[in-house]
Amino acid sequence: MAKRRLITGILLGAVAGGIATLFDRETRNYTKGKLKNVKAGSSYLIKNPSDAVHKVRVAFDEFNTKITSGSENAINALEQVESTLEKYTNKEGSSRIE
């Protein structure tokens, strides 16, 4: 019950804050402009769903490529660290044996 009240309070506070900011003329104009952009974009996507799917696929492919590249870079860095540690530990081990 307390969790529900907390979420309700946060949502009501956000709505009240949003409404309060609309008393400023610049904020209202900015909001109108952004809403027009959202409306135009969503209208285009509704009329061209295949284009929307294509754009999502392309964005996912780019994301996947970046993740793969980042993972490969991280693996390479770890291999270099491992190699350096092995060289260091081998030097330490060989000097101790002598």
Side-chain angles (χ1 to χ4, degrees), residues 34-50:
K34 289 296 179 180
L35 287 174
K36 286 180 184 179
N37 291 343
V38 168
K39 181 182 174 185
S42 60
S43 296
Y44 175 79
L45 293 178
I46 289 171
K47 292 177 184 175
N48 303 300
S50 61

Side-chain angles (χ1 to χ4, degrees), residues 19-38:
I19 290 171
T21 60
L22 292 177
F23 285 116
D24 180 46
R25 182 179 307 272
E26 284 184 42
T27 305
R28 279 195 312 270
N29 291 336
Y30 176 79
T31 304
K32 286 179 189 178
K34 289 296 179 180
L35 287 174
K36 286 180 184 179
N37 291 343
V38 168

Side-chain angles (χ1 to χ4, degrees), residues 57-67:
R57 194 182 112 255
V58 167
F60 182 77
D61 287 343
E62 289 176 5
F63 175 75
N64 192 22
T65 301
K66 288 178 183 177
I67 290 292

Side-chain angles (χ1 to χ4, degrees), residues 36-91:
K36 286 180 184 179
N37 291 343
V38 168
K39 181 182 174 185
S42 60
S43 296
Y44 175 79
L45 293 178
I46 289 171
K47 292 177 184 175
N48 303 300
S50 61
D51 190 35
V53 171
H54 175 73
K55 286 181 179 181
V56 169
R57 194 182 112 255
V58 167
F60 182 77
D61 287 343
E62 289 176 5
F63 175 75
N64 192 22
T65 301
K66 288 178 183 177
I67 290 292
T68 303
S69 175
S71 298
E72 289 173 357
N73 290 341
I75 290 170
N76 288 337
L78 288 173
E79 287 174 350
Q80 289 175 358
V81 168
E82 183 180 31
S83 173
T84 303
L85 287 174
E86 284 177 0
K87 289 177 185 176
Y88 178 74
T89 55
N90 287 339
K91 286 182 181 177

